[in-house]
Amino acid sequence: MVFKCTDTKTGETVALKKIRLEKEDDGVPSTAIREISLLKGIKHPNIVELKEVIYSQDQLYLVFEYLEFDLKKYMRAQGPKPLPREQA
């Protein structure tokens, strides 16, 4: 789940991605670990910035820069045709 939130310290609007951790001994899902490690090492104007990782016993939160853009809606409107290179 992703929520639009406000950082109470800075007033900045951020996207908060909530990842539920199962009550098992599995710990953090491998997909979340991959996402975190990839995004922490990437700084590019066309890739959303991972600002912070917050971990508690049963929840993992990823704090991202907030983008005012609905990619899913845009892709539905475009249909199955490929995007031009400059748009991609």
Side-chain angles (χ1 to χ4, degrees), residues 38-50 65 67 85-88:
L38 283 170
L39 289 172
K40 285 220 132 320
I42 296 175
K43 298 291 184 221
H44 190 278
N46 294 337
I47 298 176
V48 67
E49 178 188 354
L50 175 62
E65 70 176 309
L67 301 175
R85 172 178 237 131
E86 57 279 352
Q87 267 188 305

Side-chain angles (χ1 to χ4, degrees), residues 3-16 48-52 63-67:
F3 303 93
K4 180 180 178 182
C5 300
T6 303
D7 184 323
T8 55
K9 291 180 185 172
T10 65
E12 178 184 17
T13 300
V14 295
L16 184 72
V48 67
E49 178 188 354
L50 175 62
K51 294 180 162 292
E52 190 174 351
V63 182
F64 292 95
E65 70 176 309
Y66 178 76
L67 301 175

Side-chain angles (χ1 to χ4, degrees), residues 8-46:
T8 55
K9 291 180 185 172
T10 65
E12 178 184 17
T13 300
V14 295
L16 184 72
K17 183 174 184 179
K18 178 180 173 183
I19 300 171
R20 185 192 333 238
L21 304 178
E22 300 302 323
K23 300 282 187 205
E24 304 168 10
D25 292 332
D26 292 345
V28 178
S30 61
T31 54
I33 293 171
R34 277 195 304 272
E35 180 176 8
I36 292 166
S37 61
L38 283 170
L39 289 172
K40 285 220 132 320
I42 296 175
K43 298 291 184 221
H44 190 278
N46 294 337

